[in-house]
Amino acid sequence: MKIRVFFVIAFFVVTATARAQVNIKVDSTTKFQTIEGWGHGGGVFSSLNYSIGQAIGDTINHQMLDFLIDDLGLTGSRVWEIGPRPDGTGMDNGDCDSIDWTKFYAPTLDQRIADYTVYFKNRVESNGFKTSFYSSPTYSTAATSLKPWVLNHPGERAQQIWAGALWWKNNYGIDIKYDVIANEPNGVFTTQILTEDTKALGPRLLQLGLATRTQYAEAIAPQTDWNFITPVQNDSDLWKYVGRISYHNYGTADPYRTYLRDFAKSKGITTAQTEMGNPTLDDLYSDLTLGGVSYWEIAFSGSNTLVPTGGNTGFTLSNTYIRLRQLMHYVRPGAVRVLATSSDSLVRVLSFVRNNAVTTVIINGGTTRAVTLSGLPAGSYGRSQASPGVNAFTESGVQTVDGSGSITLQNVGGGSVITTLYPYSGKNHAPTIMTYFANPGYLVAPTASTVLTVKASDPELDPLTYTWSVDSQPGGANALIATTSVASTAVNGLSVAGTYIFNISVSDGSNVSSKKIYILVYASNPPPVLGQAGFRIAPPYGLVFTDPGDTTHANIELPTSSVTVQVGVGDLANSSFNGRGKWTLVSQPNGANAFLDTTIYIYVSIRAQASKMTVPGDYVFHVSVTNPGHPDLTAQVICRVHPASAGPVINSITATPANLTLPSSATELTGATSDPGGQLLRHWWAIKSSPAGSSPTFDHQGCAISSVSGLTVVGNYVFTLRAFDDLHMTTKDITVVVKPSSGVEVSTLAPGRDITAYPNPITSELTLNASNADDRLTRIVVMNALGQVLLDQHITEPGLQTATLPFEKFTSGVYFLTIQSKSKTQSMKVVKQ
């Protein structure tokens, strides 16, 4: 018995020792994805403070952006589409490739957001990284997204996207790197619509010299994303315009994340997770390993990253911020994820290589233990650690890896503690200020005191000293800091209304880090603020809102006769506005008897339902919100009701010629259309069917008259003309028959046209030839997709039948040629590769 007991004890000791030691091996030769960056899925610029004066607001917002960039490591963000008009009209006069910039909508708030975007870009680039912005639909887009002239007109949807990207680039030097056709597409947003829109948009982006490429499919979950991909996975004409596979994470994720990762790899593009509410480091781990993402976002601001303090002048950290920071702060763009294996399944690990330095993130789901890492470059390393739910990390000092490439980390915390071993360079780093805030964040007289708090850490574990000071205060004020040399101190004497700014400096004896804390003091309760005012209207109208201070105009057409009027409202105290707001109908057309029901307060907005708007004309609505002791806050919105329309008419559709014999390979499609109500008409030619292996190409696909070339395969080509007014789409088909060659070699673009252009697509030069010996070239005009003339060459040389145009200076895309000869003028479309 004594012998058996001895062996049991020995076995227990060996097992405990094995469990206490974990071995992690880093293999830098096995590489996975390259990190493009980290971002904000809700648009970081939408979360800034716009409710106070711009001068102080810019200072506060810049400090918040600095923190997100420098501390969390953000390099990208969603930006909302600029340009689509909230009244539901378009940006052109019927030609989707010719924008009318007087109809482009960029209100004051969007321009202020653009200034913050430029600030963000400059700050990121000053750190040596590149930004990654992508555009996504917003309220203005929603006012038209379900109307047929956008939903079923790829050229118009494309114009909304490329016009916005052009505005950003031309006005602010911002490259919108990616675009989104539809945010979380579902219902009417089918694979066909996403595909048609992407194919229409891609060539136009190239033509305009824009770097923007489409994110596909931006669906609500990886499974939904995969469902949008499988029907078109072999459509090479689609994938050449897709920049990355993107998904949101609000549903079934696996095994679909892996499918998306592997499919993207087969196409030579990347994957991205672009929205998930309140994600954790575990979600980031899964997206990196299963989804293979190169770009990853935290959805929305507020409680998911920086939680605003009272007054919206400062912030504290969310309960997931620090754990996410343990990876995002240390793993910067350009880092490559490499293979890292753990001897314990409870200890997960991620490793990244950048500039020959390795960063390793350990997630210990077991108990506290020692961890030995091997495969590391020799050098100095810092070590930081964060437990679940904390708002601060702890440093463990600087450690050295010798030539063996191994190091043992003692006491690696368990219970999902995150430990990061990161490359350390230099002699001494400045302290890191982790949080800095005031509680309360704003004051209302007679309250005149608050508490200032800072938390800081030092990589070298040097002792820290603190110095508080008053940076500025209102005239006549006398703010008194109770103790200027501690991490948390009371401040009194904030008795004069205005803005107080305090400075905190943290020193490790060699370096100093500083931050500012802003306190707003009000003589009385701060007033409420009205937000966007507008309408919620049944499809196909959607949401019609403009920025605060503007008068929203909506347009609807009978039989639609009801709308919901709405205005956002809020104050710093997060008050309830039940019973404090009222919508009224202040005017309506003669003979109208519209009804406005009871005003309610719901979802921080004041709403009422208007109905029986059955007489055409303007209905003007007014909202008043009580502000005790002050005048009411007011806003006004207008809804114009139009008579019912019958929709466009396609009177005839012809092809000239309708029958081709190879080598003739082009024809001209003409639609004669009209609209009984006199509404603006838009057009789009679509390929309904064509012989296998064919690739028809239009010159002006968004016009009623369009040449189509590339009919080089024998068979029947069926083209559909779509004609649109505001609410209706009418379609009609035409068939073009291509027959095999009769054996006679005729080099013509189309019957009656004897000027040929080759090669097409163009690589460097385009040759034009007038094959008729009695003819000669007299003028050549080259235009881009916007109708801008790039070349206008008059030819004076007599008898010139051949001309060579250099295309090296032109970017890839579609170009339109008008060629005059002695006997005729003809147009053609060419493509520069």
Side-chain angles (χ1 to χ4, degrees), residues 721-779:
L721 176 62
R722 303 172 187 170
F724 307 87
D725 64 7
D726 189 51
L727 294 181
H728 305 90
M729 176 177 72
T730 302
T731 64
K732 198 166 189 175
D733 295 344
I734 189 170
T735 300
V736 176
V737 180
V738 175
K739 300 176 182 179
S741 171
S742 62
V744 179
E745 292 294 334
V746 181
S747 298
T748 59
L749 183 66
R753 296 181 176 184
D754 55 4
I755 300 175
T756 56
Y758 58 89
N760 190 11
I762 308 161
T763 54
S764 59
E765 293 181 336
L766 176 71
T767 299
L768 302 175
N769 181 57
S771 59
N772 189 329
D774 297 327
D775 207 356
R776 69 177 181 87
L777 302 174
T778 60
R779 185 185 181 190

Side-chain angles (χ1 to χ4, degrees), residues 494-572:
L494 310 179
S495 56
V496 178
T499 302
Y500 295 75
I501 305 176
F502 299 92
N503 186 79
I504 175 61
S505 293
V506 182
S507 173
D508 63 359
S510 300
N511 304 287
V512 177
S513 297
S514 298
K515 299 291 183 182
K516 296 185 185 302
I517 296 179
Y518 300 81
I519 305 295
L520 297 180
V521 176
Y522 295 90
S524 59
N525 286 323
V529 176
L530 294 186
Q532 292 177 313
F535 301 89
R536 292 177 174 267
I537 314 175
Y541 299 99
L543 306 174
V544 184
F545 288 87
T546 50
D547 287 336
D550 295 339
T551 299
T552 301
H553 290 78
N555 290 279
I556 63 174
E557 182 178 305
L558 296 172
T560 300
S561 59
S562 64
V563 298
T564 297
V565 287
Q566 173 183 324
V567 64
V569 64
D571 63 7
L572 294 181

Side-chain angles (χ1 to χ4, degrees), residues 217-353:
E218 198 81 354
I220 195 168
Q223 181 182 31
T224 316
D225 224 60
W226 185 243
N227 291 339
F228 276 106
I229 288 174
T230 50
V232 290
Q233 57 185 319
N234 297 318
D235 188 346
S236 58
D237 288 336
L238 167 67
W239 297 108
K240 64 185 178 183
Y241 299 123
V242 174
R244 65 185 177 196
I245 303 294
S246 64
Y247 61 86
H248 295 178
N249 203 351
Y250 295 114
T252 303
D254 300 314
Y256 302 99
R257 274 186 290 203
T258 302
Y259 297 167
L260 298 176
R261 177 197 68 195
D262 294 344
F263 177 77
K265 186 177 181 180
S266 74
K267 297 298 181 183
I269 56 180
T270 61
T271 56
Q273 183 277 102
T274 50
E275 186 179 313
M276 183 180 186
N278 198 29
T280 66
L281 187 73
D282 292 327
D283 298 310
L284 175 53
Y285 176 91
S286 296
D287 283 324
L288 286 167
T289 56
L290 300 177
V293 300
S294 292
Y295 182 81
W296 189 87
E297 291 196 332
I298 305 170
F300 310 107
S301 190
S303 60
N304 292 333
T305 48
L306 305 182
V307 183
T309 55
N312 293 324
T313 57
F315 52 83
T316 57
L317 307 182
S318 74
N319 60 3
T320 58
Y321 179 97
I322 286 294
R323 283 163 58 81
L324 290 171
R325 182 193 186 277
Q326 286 295 109
L327 191 151
M328 296 168 65
H329 175 80
Y330 299 104
V331 179
R332 306 317 308 268
V336 179
R337 186 171 72 88
V338 297
L339 180 64
T341 55
S342 169
S343 63
D344 190 330
S345 61
L346 293 177
V347 179
R348 293 172 292 164
V349 59
L350 293 165
S351 282
F352 302 85
V353 175

